[in-house]
């Protein structure tokens, strides 16, 4: 396992270098750091957000601002530390709009997501998690199509890329914008989604054919 983890880490490091050199989109030249992703290369859960924000762009790490702190708590609620999972985004460069007090975050454009998709697909291919959690509508749409409606369609299992079980829940930044009864309702929905993920991760992994054969070998 240690060797396998090191092998995957090397592949991810190579992927990060390729993504960092990418200038397919204008945001590739505007961002400070490419935010490729981080975590366990053998993670059973891969968390995919929308795109880096200001703090992520500054530090070159995904989900390290306020939304990231809440994500850490969400993972902690199902006994997972940040280091146990792999965290990344649909786009690796911070999408921005000009603002009076400097650049403002915006959602990634479909073309930016399409340009970045090979890097994400490669990460999924290297990590091959048991479960993918997409945070928020833009990340969900990138897997499930433009008609995906988060309020109606989150909280169910979908077949994600490479047949991997995919769950969608609300983005932690969305939770941070809620108050009062709305916040309670959204928290309850997110908690249900997290519990479903925990159950899926706890399910017994099917034994490999060789193991099954060994089990019934009577010779
Ligand atoms: N929001 C995201 O979608 N991704 C991050 O990395 C940070 C905030």
């Amino acid at each position: 396992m240690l060797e396998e983890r090191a092998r995957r880490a090397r592949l991810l490091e190579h992927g990060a270098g390729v993504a960092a050199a990418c200038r397919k989109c204008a945001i590739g030249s505007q961002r400070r750091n490419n935010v490729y992703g981080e975590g366990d290369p053998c993670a059973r859960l891969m968390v995919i957000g929308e795109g880096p924000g200001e703090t992520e762009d500054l530090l070159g790490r995904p989900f390290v601002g306020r939304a990231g702190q809440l994500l850490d708590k969400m993972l902690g609620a199902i006994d997972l530390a940040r280091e146990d999972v792999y965290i990344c985004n649909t786009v690796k460069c911070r999408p921005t709009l000009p603002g009076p007090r400097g650049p403002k975050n915006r959602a990634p454009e479909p073309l930016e997501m399409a340009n970045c998709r090979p890097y994400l697909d490669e990460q999924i291919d290297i990590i091959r998690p048991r479960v993918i959690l997409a945070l928020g509508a833009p990340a969900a749409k990138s897997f499930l199509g433009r008609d995906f409606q988060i309020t109606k369609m989150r909280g169910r299992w979908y077949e994600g890329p490479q047949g991997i079980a995919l769950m969608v829940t609300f983005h932690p930044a969305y939770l941070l914008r809620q108050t009062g009864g709305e916040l309670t309702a959204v928290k309850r929905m997110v908690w249900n989604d997290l519990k479903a993920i925990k159950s899926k991760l706890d399910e017994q992994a099917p034994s490999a054919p060789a193991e099954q054969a060994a089990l019934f070998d009577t010779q």
Side-chain angles (χ1 to χ4, degrees), residues 163 167 182 216:
M167 170 66 71
E182 268 304 308
F216 294 107

Side-chain angles (χ1 to χ4, degrees), residues 36-204:
Y36 182 68
E38 67 181 29
D40 183 357
C42 296
R44 291 176 309 146
L45 174 63
M46 186 163 177
V47 179
I48 304 179
E50 202 176 296
E54 189 179 10
T55 317
E56 290 76 21
D57 180 52
L58 195 61
L59 301 177
R61 298 177 57 204
F63 280 98
V64 284
R66 275 189 76 214
Q69 285 161 18
L70 181 53
L71 174 62
D72 290 352
K73 287 188 195 165
M74 286 161 55
L75 293 171
I78 52 166
D79 303 322
L80 288 171
R82 190 182 167 90
E83 301 72 40
D84 297 330
V85 308
Y86 190 87
I87 305 176
C88 62
N89 284 298
T90 60
V91 295
K92 314 302 182 198
C93 297
R94 179 189 179 202
T96 52
L97 281 174
R101 275 171 274 114
K104 289 194 323 185
N105 293 342
R106 64 163 168 81
E109 302 283 351
L111 180 63
E112 291 164 342
M113 288 201 201
N115 283 342
C116 230
R117 187 58 186 259
Y119 310 127
L120 178 60
D121 281 338
E122 188 182 39
Q123 288 172 302
I124 296 170
D125 198 34
I126 295 168
I127 296 159
R128 296 227 193 119
R130 171 117 36 118
V131 171
I132 292 175
L133 171 61
L135 295 174
K141 286 181 184 181
S142 78
F143 296 118
L144 298 169
R146 293 164 53 146
D147 295 336
F148 185 87
Q149 289 178 283
I150 192 149
T151 42
K152 290 193 190 148
M153 296 161 76
R154 53 140 276 285
R156 302 182 207 159
W157 287 109
Y158 294 94
E159 190 173 318
Q162 302 177 34
I164 296 168
L166 169 71
M167 170 66 71
V168 179
T169 199
F170 291 107
H171 195 289
Y174 176 76
L175 268 98
L176 290 172
R177 292 195 295 270
Q178 308 305 306
T179 53
E182 268 304 308
L183 175 60
T184 309
V186 176
K187 263 163 104 174
R188 186 162 297 136
M189 288 186 263
V190 171
W191 174 230
N192 285 334
D193 301 343
L194 291 170
K195 280 192 294 185
I197 290 171
K198 183 165 172 53
S199 302
K200 179 74 88 188
L201 293 175
D202 288 346
E203 273 170 22
Q204 188 75 28

